[in-house]
Amino acid sequence: ILVQGILLVVFLFVTAWFNRFSADDYLFIGELRNFSFAEIYQKLYLTWNGRWTYNFAILFFIKFSEYKYFLFAFNGLSFLLLFYSIYLVLNVLNKKHETNLNFKTVLLYTIVFSGVFFFFTHFTGQSWFWISASLAYLWSCIFFLFGLSSWLKPIHRFFDYFVIIICCLIK
């Protein structure tokens, strides 16, 4: 199982290295060159979709498209955030149910769950590697998991409530 997990991580990062922009990503890049952020945001909100955080995120991240390793960095960030959010949920469940799993076991379960999530995702290329789609779908799952990990904690602090509210507002 460990080898399978390592191969999954290697596969994700190799695929991210050879990633390319999608047609929607090129549309946003072209729009940013011709219009202001506010004009594009208004157009996106009124004609594309009403998800205000997605519209802001796509316009924020696509500004970095001129950098050589942007796609690799963006996908790497997405994968690391996903792994970390899954790890947080599993770690909270481990502590809550007193299963006493060590760090390596929780990390292994994190990678296994990530692999299952990857292979059960419909249109993995779009949902995991295209900027416009991954911000809409993959990042929604990531923030849901961050919020879930805060919600599952037995004792909530102010920061936990803050994370839950922010994660609910994201998508």
Side-chain angles (χ1 to χ4, degrees), residues 132-148:
S132 55
S134 67
L135 282 170
Y137 305 116
L138 184 62
W139 281 52
S140 295
C141 295
I142 291 168
F143 281 102
F144 169 76
L145 291 171
F146 277 129
L148 181 64

Side-chain angles (χ1 to χ4, degrees), residues 81-90 92-93 110 113-114 117 138-152 163-164 167-168:
L81 285 174
L82 178 68
F83 295 152
Y84 184 63
S85 65
I86 293 170
Y87 173 79
L88 285 178
V89 170
L90 293 176
V92 168
L93 290 173
T110 298
F113 184 80
S114 301
F117 185 57
L138 184 62
W139 281 52
S140 295
C141 295
I142 291 168
F143 281 102
F144 169 76
L145 291 171
F146 277 129
L148 181 64
S149 69
S150 291
W151 183 69
L152 288 173
V163 167
I164 292 168
C167 289
C168 288

